[in-house]
Amino acid sequence: MVIGGGFIGSEIAAALAINGKSVTMIVPEDGIGARVYPPRLSHFLTEYYRSKSVTIMNKDGVENVRKDGRTYLVRTKSGTEIRADGVVAGIGIEPNISLAKSAGIQVDNGIVVDEYLQTSHPDVFAAGDVASFYSAALNKRIRVEHEDNANTMGEMAGKNMAGQRIAYRHLPFFYSDLFDLGYEAVGELDARYEIVEDWKEEFREGVVYYLEAGRVRGVLLWNTWGQVDNARALIAEQGPWNKGNITGRLPA
Ligand SMILES: Cc1cc2nc3c(=O)[nH]c(=O)nc-3n(C[C@H](O)[C@H](O)[C@H](O)COP(=O)(O)OP(=O)(O)OC[C@H]3O[C@@H](n4cnc5c(N)ncnc54)[C@H](O)[C@@H]3O)c2cc1C
């Protein structure tokens, strides 16, 4: 049983199914990745998972999980009861900021750092999932829960702690693999943005652009490889971008 249809839920469900496990996903939204992918892609993915024998209970939530002997009884909001050998909840994380808080360090949806990854205490630096930093590329303060950010930021924080003065300007990418589909992505993937889908082969290979006020906020490189830096460059460009002039920009 997998609770949640976001990055973690969809990845683990695919991994379990590939390993021969019988998987049920409870997804509160319309479908897998509905908050991130365009609705048609989310719908395709949901049906694709079903074709791989994953049971998907969309538009449902978890009311209760109870241990019953060696198994678990999961009751959904719609009243269905499912017995499972194991339950994985992929329902988001909360940064552990209690230590920073008790030390009097500024926190705000994470530990607040400046461009050198220094916290409000000059001897304390923060990096990775927990750090809230200003992204020059996106012109806003963000907190990123992905590996590339953690690795790059960690290295930079270490260098700055050792006396260097390097500003963190990296726009991290992230990736995921879902059965035989895979992608890399940069920036903000939010299904509420204006979305331009540019498919070479529908839902199999293509690029999805997330636009706001003529700027590119995020790029989803669906089975499209080696384009992360080009996507970063596009996000940095002023535009204005629209469906007409962005279609066909990537792969460059
Ligand atoms: C199941 C799963 C799948 C993922 N898949 C992907 C993926 O496909 N692609 C991707 O880009 N990212 C993925 N991620 C995200 C990625 O793993 C994280 O972004 C990355 O691990 C963050 O690194 P971090 O060092 O900031 O935090 P963590 O790896 O969480 O490390 C933080 C460490 O600090 C310790 N800690 C916390 N508080 C204290 C304290 N008070 N004192 C001492 N120690 C403390 C914790 O115990 C932990 O060891 C995935 C995450 C999960 C959970």
Side-chain angles (χ1 to χ4, degrees):
M1 160 71 60
V2 174
I3 305 169
F7 293 122
I8 301 296
S10 54
E11 258 193 26
I12 196 115
L16 288 166
I18 286 168
N19 284 282
K21 304 296 175 196
S22 158
V23 185
T24 297
M25 288 179 83
I26 299 181
V27 179
E29 294 83 21
D30 284 350
I32 290 177
R35 292 196 211 163
V36 176
Y37 310 122
R40 287 180 342 119
L41 179 56
S42 168
H43 178 74
F44 164 81
L45 263 183
T46 307
E47 295 310 314
Y48 183 71
Y49 269 57
R50 285 183 171 137
S51 77
K52 300 280 185 188
S53 302
V54 176
T55 302
I56 302 199
M57 302 176 69
N58 53 334
K59 298 185 189 173
D60 205 347
V62 172
E63 183 73 38
N64 183 282
V65 179
R66 186 162 55 83
K67 188 112 205 261
D68 183 34
R70 290 180 159 205
T71 59
Y72 296 87
L73 265 179
V74 180
R75 188 147 42 91
T76 72
K77 289 200 164 133
S78 66
T80 310
E81 222 168 38
I82 305 151
R83 191 173 289 278
D85 293 326
V87 180
V88 180
I91 52 176
I93 69 160
E94 267 186 36
N96 185 350
I97 52 172
S98 52
L99 186 62
K101 229 173 166 175
S102 63
I105 288 169
Q106 191 189 349
V107 293
D108 176 17
N109 178 34
I111 300 175
V112 174
V113 293
D114 67 11
E115 59 183 334
Y116 303 107
L117 309 179
Q118 216 163 7
T119 68
S120 59
H121 189 296
D123 292 336
V124 180
F125 291 68
D129 280 11
V130 83
S132 158
F133 66 100
Y134 176 76
S135 165
L138 298 171
N139 189 26
K140 67 192 277 198
R141 190 165 273 280
I142 57 173
R143 198 171 57 70
V144 176
E145 297 164 7
H146 296 296
E147 187 187 325
D148 174 38
N149 182 61
N151 289 337
T152 316
M153 218 181 191
E155 186 182 335
M156 204 157 285
K159 285 180 175 165
N160 287 345
M161 289 168 83
Q164 294 193 38
R165 202 82 177 138
I166 312 166
Y168 188 64
R169 301 253 186 267
H170 184 65
L171 184 58
F173 85 99
F174 56 98
Y175 59 89
S176 191
D177 292 306
L178 312 166
F179 293 102
D180 55 346
L181 302 167
Y183 67 80
E184 292 175 331
V186 187
E188 292 183 293
L189 267 54
D190 187 329
R192 290 169 300 184
Y193 284 142
E194 180 193 343
I195 290 179
V196 177
E197 298 174 46
D198 187 6
W199 297 109
K200 197 166 165 190
E201 186 187 345
E202 195 167 52
F203 309 135
R204 295 285 174 171
E205 185 181 341
V207 180
V208 178
Y209 303 92
Y210 296 74
L211 308 181
E212 185 193 44
R215 291 287 301 260
V216 180
R217 304 297 300 179
V219 181
L220 172 63
L221 300 159
W222 194 262
N223 280 321
T224 300
W225 310 104
Q227 295 298 314
V228 167
D229 283 339
N230 292 329
R232 285 192 177 110
L234 214 50
I235 291 170
E237 279 191 41
Q238 289 293 326
W241 296 106
N242 54 48
K243 187 176 167 59
N245 64 6
I246 203 148
T247 302
R249 293 289 303 198
L250 297 179

